[in-house]
Amino acid sequence: MTNSLSQAAASAERPPLLTRPLLLRFVSMVGATVSFFLLLSAVPAHAGRGGAGLVTGALMLSTVLGELAGPWIVARWGNRGPLTAGLLLLGAPAAALPVSGGLGWTVAVCLVRGLGFALTLVAGGALTAALIPAQRRGEGLALVGLVGGVPSLVALPLGVWLAGNVGYGPVTVAAGVAALAAIPSVPGLREGPRTPGAGPKSLGTAGAVRLAGLRRPAQVFATTALAAGILVTFLPLAVERAPAGVATAALLVQSATATAARWAAGRYGDRHGSGRLVVPGLLLSAAGMAVMAAVSGPVAVLVGAVVFGTGFGTAQNATLALMYSRVSRASYGTVSALWNLAYDGGMGVGAAGFGLVAGHTGYAWAFLLTALLMLGALAPAVRDRLGRPAGSALPGRLDDLP
């Protein structure tokens, strides 16, 4: 009898994670991810050297603008409608890419697809957070990262290979079908009642940035994302004198350790508070970049990739779980938008800025300077931790406050 009561209590404390609505959400998540990453490199390659930067820039610009507008759109129309619209805007224009090979047409399509992808991130992220039990938020977000991460790792190189070996037209159609085929799964997602004027109102992006409890974790994550953008863009160039395959192995190791760290951080955060992991995640990320300064040594590069991946995955999970814990469900879309802005903006700034620095200092010193720069994010991380001693959640929700 006692064992039965203990099992019932444990079950109540740890509700099931893989519910039918969450599994349905995985369908739209995988569809959007595959559609986006199949063409992320294939379209610039087709545009050629003269247009590659322009089409990628247009895609990321509209993604960021969509993320800025996303919280207002979600607050006005809920989550399922914008998610459906996002899948449609991501998929239908992809299939239309072969209509014209002109650069203007390609840029226009990329602008529309970027907006669609942003809506899938903001509205989809809000739905995902609502479908994960609060007691298992960290673990659930780690699982979500795995479900979204594996398709992206496969689709990115697959898109380039398909375009070169099968043809540009078929790969654009495949990307379109991937997003459009996921639309029927959206109506089955549980959104809950939306009663205007009842409960806390959704924070806007500007309002969220003004709140230190959301701004500080986003700052820390943006710093680690900055370093991730540098590694993805410049590591192959920095280790070109190393034995063949070192860069590929390092990037694969970094991705694998980040995924494992997200899972471990999620499980730890659910039990002890995600706030405890933000500073360690930042420090490990910076340490990994410092080790990367020895770009002439294959062992150092691989060790640096492991250390950085561990820190980056920890920071990914801890900051997002922490930010969700500090708002009500009405503001989940805003948290999703702010966190993704930190991700995209950090990676973009890192890739752009590092190239300028490395041109003057060389790669080794540029990696080391990046590690030192990252330590500047310790200030907001420590202030946030000292101001919230109880763990991941605040005494009240930030969007409950006047």
Side-chain angles (χ1 to χ4, degrees):
M1 182 67 176
T2 303
N3 287 338
S4 299
L5 291 174
S6 300
Q7 290 173 2
S11 177
E13 290 176 1
R14 288 177 59 79
L17 185 59
L18 286 175
T19 59
R20 180 177 179 276
L22 186 59
L23 291 173
L24 278 176
R25 169 64 190 123
F26 287 165
V27 174
S28 56
M29 183 185 306
V30 171
T33 301
V34 169
S35 179
F36 183 80
F37 282 96
L38 269 179
L39 299 185
L40 184 60
S41 294
V43 172
H46 182 76
R49 182 175 298 180
L54 190 57
V55 298
T56 300
L59 180 70
M60 298 314 299
L61 173 63
S62 62
T63 299
V64 170
L65 293 176
E67 287 168 348
L68 287 170
W72 177 82
I73 294 172
V74 166
R76 180 108 164 88
W77 284 287
N79 295 311
R80 287 186 299 185
L83 177 56
T84 301
L87 291 168
L88 181 63
L89 293 174
L90 187 61
L97 271 168
V99 169
S100 171
L103 183 59
W105 174 256
T106 304
V107 167
V109 170
C110 287
L111 286 170
V112 176
R113 295 190 75 240
L115 175 59
F117 187 58
L119 289 176
T120 67
L121 291 175
V122 177
L127 271 170
T128 303
L131 294 171
I132 296 173
Q135 302 94 317
R136 302 185 69 179
R137 179 177 284 122
E139 188 178 357
L141 291 174
L143 179 60
V144 167
L146 180 63
V147 171
V150 171
S152 68
L153 288 174
V154 174
L156 185 60
L158 181 61
V160 177
W161 185 88
L162 286 174
N165 292 274
V166 180
Y168 182 62
V171 75
T172 62
V173 171
V177 169
L180 296 176
I183 290 177
S185 70
V186 177
L189 299 176
R190 184 177 64 250
E191 186 166 7
R194 292 172 59 243
T195 306
K201 295 181 178 179
S202 172
L203 286 166
T205 306
V209 171
R210 287 195 294 267
L211 294 172
L214 298 179
R215 183 181 67 248
R216 288 169 180 165
Q219 285 177 295
V220 174
F221 181 59
T223 302
T224 61
L226 177 146
I230 290 170
L231 288 185
V232 170
T233 306
F234 288 99
L235 187 60
L237 298 174
V239 301
E240 59 183 4
R241 295 183 180 178
V246 170
T248 301
L251 291 175
L252 181 61
V253 165
Q254 185 267 323
S255 298
T257 53
T259 300
R262 286 189 75 170
W263 182 265
R267 291 183 65 84
Y268 180 92
D270 288 340
R271 291 161 175 77
H272 307 288
S274 298
R276 300 173 184 266
L277 296 173
V278 175
V279 171
L282 174 63
L283 290 175
L284 283 171
S285 299
M289 291 300 290
V291 175
M292 289 283 184
V295 291
S296 60
V299 174
V301 171
L302 292 173
V303 170
V306 170
V307 176
F308 176 80
T310 302
F312 183 60
T314 300
Q316 272 187 303
N317 187 280
T319 54
L320 184 57
L322 189 61
M323 291 167 70
Y324 275 133
S325 76
R326 292 178 169 180
V327 299
S328 67
R329 178 171 171 170
S331 295
Y332 282 177
T334 302
V335 164
S336 177
L338 183 59
W339 189 85
N340 278 292
L341 279 168
Y343 201 164
D344 297 335
M347 290 192 73
V349 170
F354 186 86
L356 297 176
V357 174
H360 294 283
T361 66
Y363 288 116
W365 278 106
F367 278 119
L368 188 57
L369 289 172
T370 300
L372 294 174
L373 176 66
M374 293 173 69
L375 295 179
L378 271 176
V382 171
R383 280 200 299 269
D384 190 76
R385 180 73 188 124
L386 293 177
R388 310 294 173 191
S392 66
L394 293 175
R397 307 292 183 182
L398 286 170
D399 47 358
D400 287 338
L401 303 177

